[in-house]
Amino acid sequence: MQISFTLNGRPTTVDVEPATLVADLLREQLNLTGTHIGCDTSQCGACVVHLDGIPVKSCTLLAPALDGATLLTIEGLQGAPGSNRMHPMQEAFREHHGLQCGFCTPGMLMTAVALATEKPDLTEADVRHGLEGNICRCTGYQNIVISVISGAAAMNAAKGE
């Protein structure tokens, strides 16, 4: 079947089998490999993308659900238009060492951006609760929590500019 959707701000039309998972479509057909597959069971959060602004786990979402929708992946996350800078959340993760091996980072970032968009003044408890569906096997989460709080503050400040 053919589906049409907006992918990272660009109109996209692809032919897919109805049982194709979004994660597989992104990685195998569209060559967008930033979305990682860590579990295939919706447990780890490495595959989080934004579907119509809502964070979803792409390893359990069928591609036909994209038809007519807007999808944002880690490749589409960016700083201010024309700035050639990283997204404020990405900068916060870099600044506060919110990653080690980086495997979980795309999903963590996508979840963190959604959290900060929903509630700009995040507390540590908000972040810990909001990241419950994302697993990091390397860090102790403390630097991730610090990064998300800092990134949320930077996102909030950028809105005022």
Side-chain angles (χ1 to χ4, degrees):
M1 70 180 291
Q2 189 173 74
I3 60 172
S4 297
F5 59 101
T6 301
L7 175 61
N8 297 330
R10 296 177 185 202
T12 303
T13 299
V14 294
D15 292 320
V16 297
E17 292 296 323
T20 302
L21 295 171
V22 171
D24 294 334
L25 171 67
L26 292 171
R27 294 182 61 79
E28 296 170 15
Q29 201 167 335
L30 299 174
N31 296 315
L32 295 175
T33 58
T35 299
H36 293 162
I37 301 170
C39 67
D40 280 328
T41 59
S42 193
Q43 300 296 311
C44 75
C47 67
V48 172
V49 295
H50 292 181
L51 179 62
D52 291 332
I54 298 169
V56 297
K57 293 182 178 177
S58 64
C59 74
T60 55
L61 182 67
L62 295 175
L66 300 178
D67 198 36
T70 299
L71 187 71
L72 178 68
T73 69
I74 191 68
E75 289 88 353
L77 200 61
Q78 57 188 323
S83 71
N84 201 29
R85 295 193 66 172
M86 290 188 292
H87 187 278
M89 192 64 72
Q90 291 171 308
E91 289 184 358
F93 267 65
R94 181 187 48 78
E95 181 181 338
H96 297 285
H97 310 287
L99 60 113
Q100 284 186 16
C101 82
F103 189 83
C104 71
T105 305
M108 287 282 185
L109 284 165
M110 298 304 288
T111 301
V113 167
L115 286 172
T117 300
E118 185 177 312
K119 184 176 181 186
D121 297 321
L122 291 169
T123 66
E124 181 175 337
D126 294 330
V127 174
R128 289 188 182 279
H129 177 73
L131 293 179
E132 283 179 353
N134 294 75
I135 296 173
C136 176
R137 293 174 175 96
C138 298
T139 71
Y141 287 95
Q142 189 57 37
N143 286 352
I144 293 172
V145 172
I146 292 167
S147 298
V148 174
I149 292 170
S150 175
M155 287 171 61
N156 202 23
K159 285 181 193 176
E161 292 177 359

